[in-house]
C-alpha cells in the first residue's frame, strides 16, 4: 500500500516535540506509536524505527515516531525512561488528532522504551495494546547474574579462550577481578550506583494493571533479554502474568539487542504487523 511521511510538531507543556508520521492511503483504525529507548532519537539504531514504520505503513498501519523532550530535535532537558509520561500523552494526543478515523493506539518499545510504554499504558484508555522487545528490568544484581550465567559459562567452552591462556595472551588477573566483582554484585541489589532495585517490581505492577493484549519479542543473544527471562523464570508472579490470555511471545534465537540484521528486523516487523491486524 502507498503511504506518505509527514514531519510533525506538537507541544508537551511549554516545549516542542518533533517526529514523523507514516500515513497509509487507507489507514487502519489501530495505529502504532513507537516509544524510543534511550538515549536515542526517532530513527533508532541502524534506522530500525524508520524502517519499521515504513514496513507497517505499507501494510496499512499508521505509525508515529518522535523524540522525547531533550532528545533529537525536540526541546527541553534530557530525561530518562521513567520520566516521559507527559511526552507519551502528548504524542498519543497528536497521533489521534492527526490520523482521521484512528480509534486506538499500540505502543511499541524496545529496551527501556518497552519499560516506559508499560509504565504509561495503564493510564490511557486509548492505548489498547503493547509490543515489548527485550524489556529493561535492570538491576546490578540481575545484570551480574545474567552475565555469569549466559556469558561466562559459554566463554569457558570456547577454544579461543583456552588458546589465549596457553599462549600467555590472556590477562588472567583482570579476568579474575572482573569475575569476582560480578559474583559480589550478583548477591547485592543495594550498591550505591545501582539502578533502583524496585524496577522489576514496578514493571510487574504496571503490566498487571494493563489488561490489553501484549506482544513480547525477545532476542536470544542479548543479556538484557536474558536478564528479563531469568527474572520471570524465578518468579511465580511473573510466570502467572506471562501465562495470561492475550500474551503472545516470540523469540529470535540468534538476534542481538537491536535486531541489527535485515532478516531479524524484517521478522520483527512481520510479527508486529500480523499481530496488530489479528485482534
Amino acid at each position: 500500500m502507498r503511504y506518505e511521511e509527514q514531519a510533525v510538531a506538537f507541544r508537551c507543556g511549554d516545549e516542542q516535540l518533533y517526529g514523523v508520521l507514516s500515513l497509509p492511503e487507507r489507514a487502519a483504525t489501530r495505529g502504532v506509536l513507537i516509544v524510543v529507548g534511550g538515549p536515542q532519537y526517532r530513527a533508532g539504531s541502524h534506522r530500525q524505527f524508520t524502517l519499521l514504520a515504513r514496513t507497517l505503513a505499507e501494510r496499512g498501519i499508521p505509525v508515529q515516531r518522535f523524540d522525547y523532550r531533550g532528545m533529537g530535535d525536540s526541546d527541553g532537558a534530557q530525561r530518562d525512561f521513567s520520566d516521559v509520561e507527559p511526552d507519551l500523552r502528548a504524542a498519543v494526543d497528536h497521533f489521534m488528532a492527526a490520523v482521521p478515523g484512528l480509534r486506538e493506539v499500540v505502543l511499541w518499545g524496545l529496551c527501556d522504551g518497552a519499560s516506559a510504554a508499560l509504565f504509561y499504558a495503564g493510564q490511557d484508555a486509548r492505548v489498547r495494546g503493547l509490543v515489548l522487545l527485550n524489556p529493561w528490568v535492570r538491576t546490578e544484581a540481575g545484570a551480574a547474574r545474567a552475565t555469569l550465567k549466559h556469558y561466562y559459562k559459554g566463554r569457558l567452552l570456547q577454544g579461543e579462550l583456552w588458546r589465549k591462556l596457553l599462549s600467555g595472551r590472556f590477562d588472567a588477573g583482570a579476568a579474575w577481578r572482573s569475575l569476582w566483582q560480578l559474583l559480589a554484585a550478583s548477591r547485592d541489589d543495594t550498591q550505591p550506583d545501582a539502578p533502583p532495585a524496585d524496577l522489576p517490581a514496578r514493571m510487574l505492577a504496571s503490566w498487571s494493571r494493563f489488561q490489553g493484549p501484549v506482544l513480547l519479542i525477545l532476542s536470544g543473544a542479548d543479556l538484557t533479554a536474558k536478564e528479563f527471562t531469568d527474572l520471570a523464570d524465578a518468579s511465580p508472579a511473573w510466570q502467572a502474568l506471562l501465562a495470561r490470555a492475550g500474551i503472545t511471545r516470540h523469540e529470535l534465537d540468534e538476534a542481538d539487542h537491536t535486531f541489527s540484521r535485515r532478516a531479524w528486523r524484517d521478522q520483527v516487523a512481520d510479527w508486529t504487523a500480523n499481530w496488530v491486524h489479528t485482534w
Side-chain angles (χ1 to χ4, degrees):
M1 186 183 299
R2 291 186 298 178
Y3 66 92
E4 63 175 353
E5 290 189 318
Q6 305 170 1
V8 298
F10 51 94
R11 306 295 297 180
C12 179
D14 295 330
E15 289 146 339
Q16 190 88 339
L17 306 187
Y18 296 92
V20 176
L21 176 67
S22 299
L23 185 61
E25 59 182 352
R26 296 185 304 278
T29 59
R30 179 178 298 141
V32 172
L33 179 68
I34 295 176
V35 182
V36 174
Q40 291 190 73
Y41 78 118
R42 61 187 179 271
S45 301
H46 327 288
R47 300 177 67 239
Q48 179 186 21
F49 304 149
T50 299
L51 297 169
L52 172 69
R54 292 172 178 174
T55 298
L56 296 181
E58 287 175 347
R59 296 175 66 168
I61 301 169
V63 182
Q64 182 173 282
R65 50 196 170 88
F66 73 103
D67 298 334
Y68 296 142
R69 288 172 292 171
M71 296 300 298
D73 293 316
S74 293
D75 299 340
Q78 185 175 344
R79 60 209 68 232
D80 68 18
F81 70 98
S82 65
D83 190 27
V84 294
E85 292 174 7
D87 305 67
L88 291 177
R89 185 169 295 279
V92 174
D93 288 346
H94 177 269
F95 195 18
M96 298 292 291
V99 181
L102 191 64
R103 296 177 183 172
E104 56 194 34
V105 173
V106 170
L107 301 184
W108 189 105
L110 167 67
C111 190
D112 61 19
S115 305
L118 259 180
F119 294 159
Y120 178 76
Q123 307 174 34
D124 191 334
R126 298 170 296 180
V127 177
R128 298 294 300 278
L130 293 169
V131 182
L132 308 176
L133 294 86
N134 301 330
W136 180 260
V137 290
R138 176 61 48 87
T139 65
E140 290 296 325
R145 287 191 291 265
T147 302
L148 289 168
K149 179 178 179 181
H150 300 288
Y151 174 76
Y152 273 90
K153 283 186 177 179
R155 188 81 168 112
L156 290 173
L157 299 177
Q158 294 176 357
E160 179 63 22
L161 171 64
W162 297 103
R163 285 190 291 272
K164 286 183 177 181
L165 277 170
L166 293 173
S167 66
R169 294 183 292 116
F170 184 79
D171 188 345
W176 278 114
R177 287 191 295 274
S178 175
L179 179 59
W180 181 257
Q181 290 169 356
L182 285 170
L183 287 168
S186 71
R187 301 184 179 95
D188 183 12
D189 265 319
T190 63
Q191 300 174 61
D193 295 328
D198 63 352
L199 174 59
R202 185 180 175 192
M203 291 278 287
L204 178 65
S206 297
W207 199 332
S208 298
R209 285 192 298 270
F210 182 71
Q211 297 301 307
V214 177
L215 173 60
L216 174 64
I217 301 177
L218 299 170
S219 298
D222 173 47
L223 283 176
T224 298
K226 295 299 186 186
E227 184 175 357
F228 174 81
T229 55
D230 288 349
L231 171 73
D233 289 346
S235 165
W238 272 104
Q239 292 172 29
L241 178 62
L242 294 178
R244 196 169 67 182
I247 307 295
T248 302
R249 179 169 172 169
H250 292 300
E251 298 188 22
L252 272 174
D253 290 340
E254 303 298 323
D256 58 21
H257 184 63
T258 57
F259 304 88
S260 59
R261 293 185 180 176
R262 179 174 180 176
W264 301 335
R265 181 201 81 217
D266 289 349
Q267 181 63 83
V268 166
D270 190 56
W271 280 336
T272 300
N274 290 339
W275 179 81
V276 168
H277 281 310
T278 56
W279 52 273

